[in-house]
């Protein structure tokens, strides 16, 4: 047990009452955006009056009434929701209910999840292999290089004529999968995709984040440098002789609880599989378009990798991974490959514009689902939705939008229904191994619906599951190391357990409650939403992995970008350039609460349509994507805004127009 844990135990014993009281009120322990939704779960079987107190002075700044009590079946508790969204004054507060208790402190602030997004991203650097982590970048978590992987053996299951068993290949770089030190293609795939997609969707936001990594001084966005570390490894997992991709690179057994450089057992690449090959195809196709501007040579190579892999999968469509008898590490097995085929086809189609790939994509499959390492069809729809106005005429943008909206609608229905006000738990199987990632991947999907419609309920839905992960859950934990008042301190992460630093590596989201309890540890409860243990022992609830941190980074970054208006002063607004688009106008004007902004693009453009109040503070981001030539109409809802003059600015291809409009309530 770590020193800090023992200390916490003693402290909780001495301060039993206050700590117990904090467990009765559960909310995002980091905080909320001034303009965003703000909700707390309060343990109570009847409605309550709650107050917000300024953390320093204790003075009451807001009083509210909860809704009526409801039972959450996954924790078997009666709870009420305290909604204080209308209170928007920045500061540090606690929520208090007489006779029930007081919450942990939280902030109301712009950019309240900016640090979390950056830290979730930095986690990947901390999990780099084949590299020493220097103190300059890693601080107390500096460590020697682990796993050069310059001498990896071809396992018997992967042997071919050109590469017989025992052949030595080099397969360097990449990120450790999780608490273990192995590298698995299917899990790497969805992780790398989600990070690249975050960049594709919100480039301005991620361009501005400095991760303090060894590449920070080059002229490339740190996120793309970090992702490249893993893409370079993935490329080595393709057999250049036939295009097939090895399923994983692994030791025969999991190592003990040691530092990376102390885990020196032989490593092998194990059999090629269709799932790994298609997953690799999709990721390389995405990489080809994301890196096109910054490294055209790499982009071209990535596309070649993708096309070779696609061809192997066409010739070998049903090679499912079978764990060889002498290999005992993670399996990442999958017997249904239809979603992998769809994902690979969709990404190749988007990148190349070749209709032959579109014909391979099953657009009639209407079930979208939640992204996961085993279920990747939603990733295809997410990519298609982002690029929908820029595809060949073979694809129907309305159908693509409809698929995303239908799925997101299911989630926000649950947000409205759920006792906890979250979509997590819409289905009873949600509390699987890695359940926290399931919550946040629902948010990723809701954010796509928001990007398509700018309807705030999708944004609130996405926020609700992030709140869940950060404290509005039945355990009272904020599930990210180093964030919140009660974060995990003993995750199943070998480096964090074996180093001599009290605190675990920060910015890691643990798997989350899961009632399978396959690791045989002793859990505090069998209730699905409470079956969680902050102990090294609990690899089924307290491990970390690259595929779980990716939606954390995506969601924290996306919400931060969308919710926090970037202050742009009116002096920055330029009106003197000739517009590449026809006059934008809004109607009705004056309006309340909705107006339609209409514009025409004579040519394709990267379009941004933003609304500012007269102080220059951004209040809405209405359009933020590439659009084909055509006529567009966007609805702007101002239900949350005060009467007054607003400015909207339309930018396309570096040129812009600014117009005024009036909201009269
Ligand atoms: O597919 C079945 C489904 O049909 C069934 O209804 C459901 C009922 O629980 O189970 C589903 O299988 C589950 C499978 O994940 C797919 O979701 C298994 O029960 C569950 O045990 C399995 O957990 C996986 C775990 O490895 C054990 O294999 C996790 O998803 C996966 O994230 C985790 O990955 C490990 C790597 O193997 C090694 N590295 C660490 C990493 C994280 O723990
Ligand atoms: O440490 C391993 C973890 O990374 C894996 O996700 C997990 C499931 O495959 O297995 C862990 O290793 C355990 C092994 O499966 C059984 N013996 C105990 C190991 C952890 O100490």
């Amino acid at each position: 047990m770590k020193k800090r844990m023992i200390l916490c135990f003693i402290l909780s014993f001495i301060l039993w009452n206050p700590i117990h009281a904090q467990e009765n009120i559960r909310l995002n322990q980091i905080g909320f955006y001034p303009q965003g939704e703000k909700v707390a779960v309060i343990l109570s079987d009847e409605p309550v009056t709650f107050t917000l107190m300024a953390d320093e002075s204790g003075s009451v700044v807001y009083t509210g009434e909860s809704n009526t009590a409801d039972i959450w079946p996954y924790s078997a508790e009666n709870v009420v929701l305290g909604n204080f969204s209308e209170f928007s004054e920045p500061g540090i507060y606690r929520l208090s209910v007489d006779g029930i208790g007081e919450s942990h402190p939280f902030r109301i602030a712009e950019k309240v999840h900016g640090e979390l997004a950056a830290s979730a991203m930095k986690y990947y650097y901390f999990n780099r292999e084949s590299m020493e982590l220097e103190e300059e970048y890693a601080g107390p978590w500096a460590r020697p290089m682990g796993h050069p992987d310059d001498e990896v053996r071809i396992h018997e299951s992967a042997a071919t004529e050109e590469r017989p068993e025992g052949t030595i290949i080099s397969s360097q770089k990449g990120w450790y999968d999780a608490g273990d030190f192995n590298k698995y293609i299917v899990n790497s795939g969805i992780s790398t995709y989600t990070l690249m997609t975050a960049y594709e969707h919100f480039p301005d936001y991620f361009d501005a984040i400095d991760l303090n990594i060894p590449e920070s001084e080059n002229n490339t966005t740190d996120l793309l440098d970090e992702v490249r570390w893993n893409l370079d490894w993935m490329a080595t997992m393709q057999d250049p002789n036939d295009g097939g991709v090895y399923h994983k690179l692994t030791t025969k057994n999991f190592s003990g609880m040691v530092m990376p450089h102390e885990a020196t057992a032989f490593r092998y690449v194990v059999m090629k599989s269709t799932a790994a090959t298609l997953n690799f195809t999709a990721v390389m196709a995405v990489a080809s378009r994301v890196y096109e501007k910054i490294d055209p040579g790499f982009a071209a190579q990535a596309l070649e990798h993708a096309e070779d892999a696609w061809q192997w999968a066409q010739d070998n469509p049903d090679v499912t991974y079978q764990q060889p008898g002498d290999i005992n590490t993670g399996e990442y097995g999958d017997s249904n490959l239809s979603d992998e085929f769809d994902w690979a086809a969709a990404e190749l189609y988007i990148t190349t514009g070749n209709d032959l790939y579109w014909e391979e994509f099953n657009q009639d499959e209407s079930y979208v689902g939640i992204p996961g390492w085993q279920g990747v069809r939603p990733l295809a729809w997410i990519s298609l939705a982002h690029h929908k106005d820029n595809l060949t005429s073979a694809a129907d943008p309305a159908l693509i939008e409809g698929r995303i909206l239908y799925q997101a609608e299911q989630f926000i229905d649950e947000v409205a229904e759920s006792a906890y006000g979250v979509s997590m738990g819409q289905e009873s199987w949600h509390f699987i191994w890695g359940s926290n990632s399931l919550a946040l991947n629902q948010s990723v999907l809701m954010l796509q619906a928001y990007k398509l419609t700018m309807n705030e309920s999708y944004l609130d839905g996405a926020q609700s599951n992030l709140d869940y992960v950060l404290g509005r859950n039945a355990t009272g934990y904020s599930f990210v190391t180093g964030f919140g008042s009660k974060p995990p301190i003993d995750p199943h992460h070998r480096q964090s357990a074996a180093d001599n630093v009290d605190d675990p590596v920060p910015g890691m989201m643990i798997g989350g409650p899961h009632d399978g309890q396959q690791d045989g540890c002793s859990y505090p409860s069998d209730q699905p939403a409470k079956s969680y243990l902050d102990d090294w022992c609990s690899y089924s609830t307290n491990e970390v992995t690259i595929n779980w941190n990716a939606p954390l980074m995506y969601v924290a970054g996306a919400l931060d970008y969308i919710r926090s208006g970037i202050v742009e002063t009116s002096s920055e607004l330029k009106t003197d350039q000739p517009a590449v688009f026809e006059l934008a106008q809004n109607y009705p004007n004056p309006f309340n609460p909705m107006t339609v902004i209409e514009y025409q693009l004579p040519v394709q453009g990267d379009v941004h349509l933003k609304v500012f109040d007269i102080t220059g503070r951004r209040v809405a981001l209405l359009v933020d994507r590439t659009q084909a030539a055509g006529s567009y109409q966007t609805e702007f809802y101002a239900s949350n805004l005060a009467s007054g003059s607003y400015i909207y600015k339309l930018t396309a291809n570096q040129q812009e127009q600014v117009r005024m409009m009036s909201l009269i309530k």
Side-chain angles (χ1 to χ4, degrees), residues 177-178 180 184 254 330-332 373-374 433 518 543 545 548:
D177 184 58
D180 64 324
Y184 309 82
F254 287 116
E331 188 163 339
Y332 287 118
W373 63 262
Q374 213 174 29
W433 191 311
Q518 291 98 318
E543 190 165 6
T545 87
W548 303 339

Side-chain angles (χ1 to χ4, degrees), residues 28 31-33 37 113 459-467 559:
N28 181 326
F32 305 91
Y33 296 98
E37 198 164 59
H113 296 118
L459 201 55
D460 294 341
Q463 169 79 51
S464 75
N465 283 355
L466 183 65
D467 288 351
L559 284 169

